[in-house]
């Protein structure tokens, strides 16, 4: 039990990834809980899930395809940054 404490919610990934990577996953997951930003006007908290995988910004009306529950652009950008640091 003590081992999973260090990486928090990322503990479910087990030993497949390094400890430092699992810590990064936890940081990413914490970011995911923040209001999602529109990829066009960057307004946070205005994205509405129209249907599974379809997101619409209530501010600028921008509609785009993303993840089922999380706008993929937000995650994709995060992972892109993280990969460059590896
Ligand atoms: Zn927008």
């Amino acid at each position: 039990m003590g081992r999973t404490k260090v990486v928090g919610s990322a503990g479910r990934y087990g030993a497949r990834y390094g400890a430092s990577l699992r810590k990064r996953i936890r940081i990413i997951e914490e970011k995911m809980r923040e209001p999602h930003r529109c990829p066009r006007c960057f307004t946070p908290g205005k994205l509405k899930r129209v249907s599974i995988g379809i997101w619409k910004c209530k501010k600028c009306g921008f509609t785009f395809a993303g993840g089922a529950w999380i706008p993929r652009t937000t995650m994709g950008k995060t992972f892109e940054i993280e990969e460059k640091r590896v």
Side-chain angles (χ1 to χ4, degrees):
M1 285 295 278
R3 285 173 65 202
T4 56
K5 255 184 187 176
V6 183
V7 291
S9 62
R12 68 173 183 275
Y13 292 103
R16 275 176 290 168
Y17 310 103
S20 58
L21 181 58
R22 270 180 280 147
K23 279 177 197 168
R24 280 181 193 157
I25 289 167
R26 184 178 70 162
I27 291 163
I28 289 163
E29 289 190 342
E30 280 167 3
K31 279 180 190 168
M32 278 159 55
R33 289 187 201 107
E34 292 172 1
H36 304 303
R37 280 173 186 272
C38 170
R40 191 158 94 176
C41 68
F42 300 105
T43 305
K46 289 288 177 192
L47 288 183
K48 186 182 191 293
R49 198 175 56 91
V50 180
S51 65
I52 302 239
I54 306 294
W55 297 80
K56 186 172 183 177
C57 174
K58 283 190 272 182
K59 178 138 190 253
C60 69
F62 184 55
T63 310
F64 63 99
W69 301 104
I70 298 144
R72 204 199 311 184
T73 46
T74 306
M75 273 191 67
K77 197 175 181 182
T78 307
F79 276 116
E80 212 175 85
I81 293 161
E82 295 301 321
E83 277 167 17
K84 278 173 191 167
R85 286 180 190 159
V86 172

